[in-house]
Every structure is written in structure tokens, then in C-alpha cells.
């Protein structure tokens, strides 16, 4: 396996851990590995930022009674990410669908 393939595999593994990273449920060793990867991966940094925004939006929605204005603002925050924020395709490894990652993040926020 060449270095580029190994880097992609590690990236994919970290990408799949990001929901748990955001909700703070990773084991210390996994959290450290994700922290190290995040130092050099803008794609994963962007995903963490988006996941944290979603988590915060969910917390706010739970804390405040919904209104039409708040629902509209929440929906605007949840607009689909640009195509550039999509991770490279996995080669052989199973990848959690984006919807599953968001559900995990939402459950943790609740």
C-alpha cells in the first residue's frame, strides 16, 4: 500500500469518528488521533464545524419553544453543505451515510 492510500484510509477512519468526536463520546486514544488528524485536514475541520453548528442549533431548538421564525432559521442553518465538503470515496471500507452521522449528532445533543 502506498503512502497516499494509507493516508486516505486513515482519513476515512477519522471521518467516520467525527460524530462521536463532536458529541464528546470518543475514547481518549481515538480523540487524540482525531485531534492530530484535524490539525492537518481542512475537510474534517469543516465537518466538525458544521456538526457543532447543527448540535448547537438542536440544543437551542430544544430549549426554546418553536416559532415559525425559529424553524425558518434552523432550516437555513441545516442547508446542505457544498459538494467540496464531501470526503473522498472509500475504497473497500464501509462509510456511514451523512444522514446517519447527523442523527448520531442530533441524538447526542438531545
Amino acid at each position: 500500500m502506498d503512502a497516499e492510500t494509507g493516508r486516505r484510509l486513515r482519513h476515512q477512519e477519522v471521518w467516520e469518528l467525527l460524530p462521536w468526536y463532536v458529541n464528546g463520546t470518543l475514547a481518549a486514544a481515538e480523540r487524540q488521533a482525531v485531534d492530530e488528524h484535524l490539525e492537518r485536514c481542512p475537510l474534517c475541520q469543516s465537518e466538525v464545524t458544521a456538526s457543532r453548528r447543527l448540535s448547537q442549533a438542536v440544543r437551542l431548538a430544544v430549549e426554546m419553544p418553536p416559532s415559525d421564525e425559529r424553524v425558518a432559521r434552523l432550516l437555513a442553518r441545516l442547508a446542505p453543505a457544498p459538494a467540496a465538503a464531501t470526503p473522498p470515496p472509500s475504497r473497500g471500507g464501509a462509510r456511514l451515510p451523512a444522514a446517519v452521522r447527523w442523527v448520531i449528532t442530533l441524538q447526542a445533543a438531545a
Side-chain angles (χ1 to χ4, degrees), residues 15-54:
W15 181 267
E16 291 173 1
L17 292 174
L18 292 180
W20 291 274
Y21 178 82
V22 170
N23 71 25
T25 58
L26 284 181
E30 290 173 319
R31 188 178 61 250
Q32 181 179 356
V34 172
D35 283 334
E36 290 171 4
H37 179 80
L38 286 172
E39 289 176 7
R40 65 184 184 283
C41 183
L43 187 61
C44 287
Q45 291 169 8
S46 178
E47 180 69 10
V48 167
T49 299
S51 295
R52 285 184 174 152
R53 274 193 230 134
L54 176 63

Side-chain angles (χ1 to χ4, degrees), residues 73-82 102:
R73 282 192 312 230
L74 179 61
L75 291 174
R77 289 180 184 171
L78 299 178
W102 288 116

